Amino acid sequence: MRLTRTHSCDVLVLGSGIAGITAALTAAEAGRSVILACKGKLFSGSSFYPGTWGLGLVGPADESDEADLAATIEAVGCGMADPAMVRAFVAGIHPAIEQVRSMGVKLRRADNGGQKEYIPCFDHKHRDWNGIEFDSAREIFSRRLKELSVTVLPGCEALELVQTDRRVCGAVVAQGGSLCYLGCKALVLATGGYGGLFKYHLCTADVEGVGQSLALDAGCRLVNMEFMQMMPGYISPAYQTIFNEKTFRFTRLRCPDGRPLLNGAAKELLTQRSTHGPFTSRLPSKAVDLALFRAFLEDERGVEATYTEEMRSDPPEFVKTYFDWLRESRGLTMEDPIHIGIFAHAANGGIKTDPNAFTGVPGLFAAGEVTGGMHGADRIGGLSTANGLVFGGKAGRSAAEACAETPEPPDEYLFHAASSGNVPEVLSTLQEAMFRNAMVIRGEEGLSAALGTVERLSADLSLCPSADVRAIAQTRRLTGRLHTAEAILKAALLRRESRGAHYRADYPEADPAQSSPIIVSQDSGAIRARFTKEDVPCS
C-alpha cells in the first residue's frame, strides 16, 4: 500500500506521557514545528496512571547532594546503570524541577518531610521530595502546548517508523480508521514501557512495549530488558490500584484460605518491606513478595490485607495523603479489607541511548520509560518522573538540533498492510505466559516455556493482505508485543543469577561474573541477547 505524506513537521513525538510532553515543549521552544501523536488521549501512559494520586518526583537535596545521589543510583542499580547516563541524569534533575515549577505546575511538598516514609524507596536518606498533581499538570501543560502551536494528534497509533537511507524521517500511524504517513526531520520515541505484556499490570492500556519493537526494527539496541519492576496492587476492590508499600509494617496478610501469609520473622520482614515499592532480590524482604506471588499463582483472588489499630489511629503523613486520595477517588478507607496481588509496573530497561537521548540511528531519539541505561537492576523511587523530565528535555533539544540541514521526508512511503484474525486469543496466551513465567519468580524451565510460546505464537500468525485499518493496527501491535516479549525472555534466560528486580529461583544469588548489562539487538530479523562485553555495535 503506497501512502502519501499527510502531515509534515520538524519534530514528531510519539507518546504523551511526561517524557513525550516535555520533548514536544522543548523542541517547540527551540523554534521547531512539532507534532505530538499519542495512541490514546493527551496525558497518558504510566506518567498519568489513574491508579495513584499523582507523580512522585525526587531530586538531589541540593548541589552538594548530587554526587551521593549518583553513587546511590549506581549502587541500587547493582552495576547495571550506565555511569555517563547517571551523571547526565542527576545534573539535569534540579533544573528540570525548577522548569516545571516556573511554568506554574503545582508541586506538593511534605509538611513533615523528615518522616522516614519520605525516604525514597531503595534510598538511604531524604532527598528533595515533590509531588506533581495530575490536574495541575494537565492544565499547565495543555496551555503551554497551545501557546507553542504544538499539533496534538490523539488516537494516533504508531505502526512503523519510516526510514530513508537508514535515517528515520517519519512514521506510519493508524488514526480514525485511516492509515497516515507523518513525515518529519527528527523523531522522538516516548511510548512508555512494557507492563501491558503481563496479565496483571499497573499501567494504562497503551503501555504495551511496542516502541521497543519499533526501535529494534529501525536498528536500535535495547539494554537491561530483564529488569522489570513488579509490585503489589489491588485485586479487589478497586482493581489495579497501587498498594502503598509504606503500610506494609502496619499490615496483616492472609491467604484466601485464612492462613497467615508469613511465618517466623513476619514483623521484621514487613518493616523492611515498607521501605520500597517494587520487589527486589537484594533484600531479605524478598520473602514477602515471593510468598505473596506464590499465593497469587495458586489463587488469583489475591491475599487479604487488613491494617492495625496503630496505623488507623495515627498514620504517618505520607500514608494519610494516600488514604485521603483513596477515600475521595475509590470510596475506600483504612477500615476496608482489600485483596492484593503482584503486578507488572515499570520497566528499568529499554532503548539504549547516549546522554543526549540519541539512539544511534540517525534522526531517532528516545526518552522516558521506553529507554534504558539511566537506571539499573533496581530504581530509586521518584526517579521515573525525573527521568521523563530530564531526558524528555534532552530528546527535544537534540531532535530540534538534528533538524538543521536535514532534507524533507519523501512524499510517499510503501507500507505492507496485513492483518491476522486471532489477535485477542494470541494476546491472552502471551500475557498468561508472561504472568506465569516471567514475573517475580523466574527459572530456566518457565522462561524457556514462555519463550517457546512466544516463538510459536509468532510463527503461527496467519498474516493476510488487508485494508481493514483496525485489524492492521491490532496485528502490528500484537507482533510488536511478541518481539518485545522475546527480547525480555532472552535477556532473562541469559542472566543466570539473581540481581535486583531479576530473581532466578534456580540461581538465587548474584554472580560477579555476570556484572555487566545485557544488550538485545535484531540481526537479520533474529533477536539476540548478549552481555555488553560480547556486544558488537550495530553497523
Side-chain angles (χ1 to χ4, degrees):
M1 179 183 296
R2 190 167 295 279
L3 300 176
T4 301
R5 176 161 42 94
T6 55
H7 296 73
S8 284
C9 61
D10 292 326
V11 177
L12 173 60
V13 179
L14 301 179
S16 66
I18 202 75
I21 289 170
T22 304
L25 290 174
T26 305
E29 287 166 353
R32 300 300 182 183
S33 60
V34 179
I35 293 175
L36 176 59
C38 48
K39 181 186 172 187
K41 60 184 180 180
L42 187 63
F43 306 112
S44 58
S46 294
S47 299
F48 296 94
Y49 180 61
T52 189
W53 65 266
L55 285 167
L57 172 59
V58 169
D62 50 41
E63 190 173 333
S64 65
D65 189 38
E66 290 185 3
D68 180 80
L69 178 56
T72 305
I73 289 172
E74 293 190 45
V76 168
C78 305
M80 298 295 106
D82 181 330
M85 293 289 289
V86 172
R87 288 193 298 271
F89 178 33
V90 172
I93 295 176
H94 184 69
I97 293 175
E98 289 308 306
Q99 172 70 15
V100 170
R101 183 177 283 115
S102 69
M103 291 172 65
V105 175
K106 185 176 180 181
L107 298 182
R108 184 179 296 185
R109 305 305 298 269
D111 293 331
N112 298 296
Q115 291 183 341
K116 64 182 179 180
E117 281 77 17
Y118 283 100
I119 297 176
C121 65
F122 298 134
D123 208 345
H124 66 95
K125 60 177 287 188
H126 291 94
R127 308 281 181 184
D128 178 22
W129 186 90
N130 301 270
I132 299 179
E133 297 193 5
F134 284 155
D135 290 344
S136 174
R138 291 188 184 99
E139 177 187 354
I140 299 298
F141 288 146
S142 292
R143 182 191 312 153
R144 190 62 179 147
L145 289 167
K146 290 178 182 178
E147 291 172 351
L148 292 168
S149 299
V150 173
T151 300
V152 178
L153 299 180
C156 198
E157 181 174 3
L159 307 183
E160 184 170 300
L161 300 185
V162 175
Q163 288 179 278
T164 299
D165 297 326
R166 293 193 67 248
R167 183 180 188 86
V168 171
C169 57
V172 175
V173 302
Q175 185 187 34
S178 300
L179 292 176
C180 304
Y181 159 33
L182 312 180
C184 63
K185 295 181 178 180
L187 189 147
V188 177
L189 268 178
T191 50
Y194 40 84
L197 297 179
F198 298 82
K199 181 178 179 180
Y200 295 98
H201 51 268
L202 294 171
C203 55
T204 51
D206 55 347
V207 181
E208 304 168 313
V210 175
Q212 292 80 355
S213 176
L214 292 174
L216 277 177
D217 289 342
C220 299
R221 296 178 295 161
L222 310 180
V223 64
N224 288 340
M225 291 296 286
E226 67 274 33
F227 300 121
M228 177 80 199
Q229 289 191 328
M230 309 289 176
M231 61 190 294
Y234 286 29
I235 297 296
S236 66
Y239 178 62
Q240 286 186 313
T241 297
I242 293 175
F243 177 77
N244 189 319
E245 76 279 357
K246 305 297 184 182
T247 67
F248 261 123
R249 65 191 178 100
F250 304 108
T251 304
R252 292 183 290 262
L253 300 172
R254 291 191 176 277
C255 297
D257 63 5
R259 289 178 296 112
L261 180 71
L262 301 170
N263 295 313
K267 183 176 181 179
E268 291 79 5
L269 289 172
L270 289 171
T271 297
Q272 185 182 70
R273 188 61 185 81
S274 292
T275 65
H276 58 92
F279 164 76
T280 181
S281 65
R282 292 183 295 117
L283 301 173
S285 56
K286 66 187 176 189
V288 177
D289 298 83
L290 297 179
L292 178 56
F293 187 62
R294 288 190 182 103
F296 190 34
L297 281 175
E298 292 176 3
D299 191 328
E300 293 179 43
R301 290 178 296 172
V303 169
E304 184 184 68
T306 55
Y307 301 109
T308 63
E309 177 59 30
E310 178 187 358
M311 191 186 83
R312 295 199 300 271
S313 61
D314 187 24
E317 180 191 6
F318 193 94
V319 171
K320 184 179 183 302
T321 297
Y322 169 79
F323 276 99
D324 286 346
W325 166 81
L326 195 64
R327 184 182 63 254
E328 293 171 5
S329 65
R330 302 291 190 269
L332 295 176
T333 72
M334 298 179 192
E335 307 294 331
D336 297 306
I338 59 172
H339 286 80
I340 62 174
I342 296 286
F343 290 69
H345 180 48
N348 284 1
I351 303 167
K352 184 172 175 59
T353 68
D354 72 8
N356 290 311
F358 179 49
T359 65
V361 174
L364 182 59
F365 305 85
E369 198 186 341
V370 76
T371 66
M374 76 295 302
H375 308 299
D378 279 329
R379 181 177 73 219
I380 293 174
L383 290 188
S384 180
T385 305
N387 169 30
L389 291 173
V390 172
F391 288 102
K394 288 177 177 291
R397 282 188 290 274
S398 295
E401 292 170 1
C403 292
E405 300 180 5
T406 299
E408 291 292 326
D411 293 331
E412 295 183 326
Y413 181 70
L414 184 61
F415 176 72
H416 298 285
S419 66
S420 175
N422 57 341
V423 171
E425 177 186 346
V426 173
L427 176 59
S428 177
T429 301
L430 167 65
Q431 291 175 321
E432 184 72 25
M434 295 297 284
F435 164 61
R436 295 278 164 189
N437 301 299
M439 288 277 286
V440 169
I441 301 174
R442 299 173 172 179
E444 192 83 13
E445 183 178 349
L447 290 169
S448 296
L451 180 59
T453 296
V454 168
E455 291 174 336
R456 174 180 58 79
L457 293 173
S458 297
D460 289 350
L461 276 181
S462 53
L463 299 178
C464 300
S466 175
D468 183 338
V469 174
R470 181 175 176 274
I472 293 167
Q474 273 192 334
T475 302
R476 284 286 180 137
R477 191 184 317 141
L478 176 63
T479 56
R481 284 173 152 184
L482 289 168
H483 289 158
T484 300
E486 183 178 347
I488 296 167
L489 293 168
K490 286 187 173 178
L493 273 165
L494 181 59
R495 187 169 294 285
R496 293 179 172 175
E497 63 158 356
S498 293
R499 186 180 293 265
H502 174 70
Y503 175 73
R504 289 283 300 258
D506 46 354
Y507 297 97
E509 304 299 327
D511 179 4
Q514 299 184 53
S515 57
S516 65
I518 289 174
I519 294 289
V520 177
S521 59
Q522 187 167 274
D523 305 321
S524 301
I527 293 175
R528 180 182 175 190
R530 48 200 152 187
F531 283 100
T532 306
K533 60 186 177 183
E534 302 166 355
D535 181 54
V536 178
C538 298
S539 59

